[in-house]
Amino acid sequence: MTSDTELIPAPTAVQGAGRCGFPFEADTALWGDPGTEGTQRWLRATLGAALGLPLPPGAEGARNTVALRLDSTLPAEAYRLEVVATWGVVITGGGPAGVFWGAQTLRQLLGPVAFRRAPVRPDMTYGVLHQTIHDAPRFGWRGLMLDVARHFMPKEGVLRYLDLMAAHKLNVFHFHLTDDQGWRVQIKRYPKLTEIGSWRARTKFGHRASPLWDDKPHGGYYTQDDIREIVAYAAERHITVVPEIDVPGHSQAAIAAYPELGNTDVIDTNSLSVWDNWGINPNVLAPTDNTLRFYEGVFEELLELFPSEFIHVGGDECLKDQWKQSATAQARIAELGLADEDELQSWFIGHFDKWLSARGRRLVGWDEILEGGLAEGAVVSSWRGYEGGITAARAGHDVVMCPEQHVYLDWRQAPGDDEPVPIAHVRTLEDVYRFEPVPEQLTEAEARHVLGTQANVWTEVMEDHARVDYQTFPRLAAFAEVAWSALPPPAERDFADFERRMTAHYARLDALGVAYRPPTGPLPWQRRPGVLGRPKDGPPPNA
């Protein structure tokens, strides 16, 4: 039986942990209030499979039962887990999500075997210690952004990451679907977006300074039914999928498919292909009515696929050089009475803010959408540091804190030549654990605009799921605790205790088949000798 003190993320309170407990046996039953059916299905499919138990339907109040209850006096995502020795387990949630998070805790209490897909010791009995756990999340937005545009992750890999998110009580999946290097979602009215835009002829291997190339064509996309499956799978795990369609920058894949979207009076857009390199691309969308109508068509289909209140439109790293040279763009600036190209981007983003608002959705964008004036109602993903989020919150806008200096998981995890394709500054497991999403400069009222936080996984130098695992774990476990648990200020956090609990958690990750970075450094097959990265010395700037 696993100790409550080995849980990640750490719960709010644990009472009465004892030496005796409740064993899971062949006739252990499962009962739940109406509204808990999803967690019942999940428990039978995961714990049932891992322990070799059927968990048949039981009766309310019966002995030898796992009971799932709803209590509206609790916050929706809060739960109480009660283990009564020799009697049973009761998980009470403020809503269906709270019950589900309680079930995730129960799984951890049962030990690493509960994270396998079939029983490894079918002759053994597993159980949980007598105790009561009270728990609730600090933030409502506990996110992971996964970039599938630079390196495509097949559908099965995405479903796997949703399971990994659920195991860490993360509840927002930011799905980065388009970029210069690939378009990954089927749009039926614009078939060339996937026919042409979803694959590239070759790929830079390593950082853009690397002389190495992978000359194998790379591509892939999700059909609309794939997307529906992903969204439904996430919903069963109380995870919201927030799609990102990047505009007006990071758009070369779209322009390669439909050249009229680009600045045709500046460059020959017919000569463009899906980009095979990394970096900030000068080929951006033209600020024309045709472009607006095209992307309205894209978003119309997207809204049918994604029920999320939030739709991400990117808005980052949009170079303005082509707009400065474009007579069409300059005429648009003059027509609208704008001051400059920054205000032109603000107008572009503002158009989609109004368009989405009229359809009951909310626009989210990277903090560059602050430049030239913030679109009314927009939510800011603050990535270049805290400053954008502070500015937005003080202006009354909601914010998701994801500063690159703290939670960009493509950044290297340690110094040394063995780290594979090292990018940027070192961000250790402890660095992530000491990340604080709410800047101290904000007043209490301003801080209420911080919806939460998310970790971002950019995949330029992550060519397969094993590389994604290596960069993401174990740091995502530290991030999950930051996002869920009510931790003390960063300097006061007990990292030694977190490391102790990670010892148990590594065994869970092993059972799940996660190719994490070991605490002692990369294994031989995790290294990429001779592949150039872009390491930076010293601590990152505190922006």
Side-chain angles (χ1 to χ4, degrees):
M1 298 183 185
T2 298
S3 167
D4 60 88
T5 60
E6 295 172 345
L7 296 174
I8 290 178
T12 304
V14 180
Q15 298 171 338
R19 299 181 64 183
C20 55
F22 169 70
F24 277 66
E25 299 172 321
D27 57 348
T28 298
L30 177 61
W31 173 89
D33 277 333
T36 66
E37 293 83 2
T39 300
Q40 292 177 51
R41 286 192 295 272
W42 183 86
L43 283 167
R44 289 193 175 101
T46 53
L47 293 190
L51 304 181
L53 301 177
L55 296 177
E60 182 177 5
R63 191 172 183 144
N64 194 25
T65 299
V66 177
L68 309 180
R69 298 184 180 277
L70 294 172
D71 179 354
S72 61
T73 65
L74 294 173
E77 289 193 283
Y79 69 88
R80 181 175 63 252
L81 190 156
E82 300 167 278
V83 182
V84 180
T86 72
W87 181 270
V89 177
V90 179
I91 299 173
T92 305
V99 173
F100 183 71
W101 303 132
Q104 296 298 328
T105 297
L106 175 62
R107 188 188 195 188
Q108 288 197 19
L109 291 172
L110 281 161
V113 293
F115 290 80
R116 297 191 177 274
R117 296 188 183 184
V120 292
R121 297 178 185 85
D123 54 330
M124 287 187 65
T125 297
Y126 296 93
V128 287
L129 295 172
H130 179 93
Q131 61 194 291
T132 299
I133 296 174
H134 300 268
D135 206 4
R138 179 184 179 191
F139 293 108
W141 185 302
R142 307 180 302 280
L144 173 70
M145 190 228 69
L146 181 63
D147 166 21
V148 296
R150 273 52 174 271
H151 277 99
F152 179 65
M153 180 178 284
K155 180 193 68 176
E156 288 303 314
V158 174
L159 299 178
R160 173 176 175 265
Y161 258 81
L162 292 170
D163 280 331
L164 291 173
M165 288 179 65
H168 293 83
K169 299 186 175 73
L170 299 174
N171 68 342
V172 177
F173 180 56
H174 176 168
F175 207 5
H176 184 80
L177 288 164
T178 72
D179 220 295
D180 299 300
Q181 297 87 357
W183 184 284
R184 306 296 180 209
V185 57
Q186 178 188 32
I187 303 297
K188 291 185 177 179
R189 74 187 72 183
Y190 304 129
K192 292 181 183 178
L193 286 172
T194 46
E195 290 172 5
I196 295 172
S198 71
W199 70 277
R200 55 183 182 264
R202 64 175 188 168
T203 299
K204 174 67 71 172
F205 189 33
H207 183 254
R208 58 181 176 270
S210 169
L212 303 176
W213 293 90
D214 181 349
D215 288 317
K216 181 173 61 180
H218 178 86
Y221 67 91
Y222 310 102
T223 67
Q224 294 200 352
D225 279 348
D226 289 338
I227 294 293
R228 292 184 181 98
E229 179 183 357
I230 289 167
V231 169
Y233 194 85
E236 279 276 300
R237 287 148 184 79
H238 299 278
I239 296 171
T240 299
V241 184
V242 176
E244 180 181 355
I245 301 293
D246 222 327
V247 296
H250 288 290
S251 297
Q252 184 163 319
I255 297 169
Y258 292 91
E260 66 272 19
L261 296 174
N263 294 285
T264 58
D265 58 347
V266 177
I267 62 162
D268 176 14
T269 54
N270 287 290
S271 68
L272 294 177
S273 59
V274 177
W275 207 22
D276 56 15
N277 213 327
W278 319 125
I280 302 176
N281 191 302
N283 296 304
V284 303
L285 297 174
T288 63
D289 289 343
N290 175 67
T291 300
L292 297 180
R293 299 294 88 76
F294 182 96
Y295 275 87
E296 286 171 3
V298 169
F299 284 117
E300 281 177 6
E301 293 195 24
L302 209 72
L303 297 191
E304 294 177 1
L305 298 171
F306 295 94
S308 167
E309 174 187 0
F310 302 95
I311 304 293
H312 209 293
V313 301
D316 62 313
E317 297 179 330
C318 178
L319 297 180
K320 312 296 195 302
D321 296 348
Q322 290 184 359
W323 286 358
K324 291 175 182 177
Q325 301 169 39
S326 166
T328 300
Q330 293 303 311
R332 178 67 92 179
I333 289 173
E335 170 199 340
L336 296 170
L338 304 176
D340 54 23
E341 290 77 19
D342 283 344
E343 288 195 5
L344 182 62
Q345 177 171 341
S346 180
W347 165 81
F348 194 103
I349 297 296
H351 173 86
F352 286 102
D353 180 55
K354 294 183 181 69
W355 191 91
L356 289 167
S357 294
R359 289 155 181 80
R361 308 298 184 97
R362 295 182 70 187
L363 178 145
V364 190
W366 302 109
D367 56 52
E368 284 93 335
I369 68 173
L370 290 161
E371 298 165 4
L374 186 59
E376 184 180 354
V379 178
V380 171
S381 298
S382 189
W383 76 274
R384 291 180 294 181
Y386 288 111
E387 184 178 352
I390 292 169
T391 300
R394 286 176 173 168
H397 287 267
D398 289 338
V399 177
V400 176
M401 284 294 185
C402 49
E404 61 177 340
Q405 302 89 341
H406 300 274
V407 290
Y408 266 36
L409 301 186
D410 54 315
W411 288 27
R412 59 189 175 134
Q413 302 184 66
D417 295 335
D418 287 340
E419 290 302 313
V421 200
I423 298 297
H425 300 276
V426 172
R427 293 285 84 188
T428 65
L429 182 66
E430 182 172 359
D431 290 330
V432 175
Y433 189 67
R434 297 195 188 279
F435 163 58
E436 172 49 51
V438 179
E440 60 183 12
Q441 298 96 313
L442 295 181
T443 67
E444 185 177 340
E446 292 165 347
R448 284 196 285 270
H449 285 291
V450 178
L451 299 178
T453 182
Q454 72 180 32
N456 295 339
V457 180
W458 300 103
T459 62
E460 286 94 335
V461 299
M462 301 181 209
E463 70 278 6
D464 55 36
H465 90 268
R467 280 286 290 122
V468 175
D469 279 6
Y470 179 92
Q471 291 299 134
T472 304
F473 289 96
R475 291 182 295 181
L476 191 68
F479 171 80
E481 184 150 310
V482 168
W484 177 277
S485 304
L487 298 177
E492 299 173 21
R493 293 177 189 172
D494 190 348
F495 180 68
D497 180 69
F498 177 78
E499 279 192 306
R500 180 190 61 77
R501 288 181 284 123
M502 276 303 301
T503 301
H505 201 64
Y506 285 122
R508 299 174 193 133
L509 297 179
D510 286 332
L512 288 166
V514 176
Y516 58 85
R517 181 190 186 277
T520 53
L523 299 167
W525 55 87
Q526 293 175 320
R527 301 167 188 165
R528 297 292 186 274
V531 182
L532 282 180
R534 187 195 56 179
K536 294 183 178 180
D537 294 330
N542 188 21

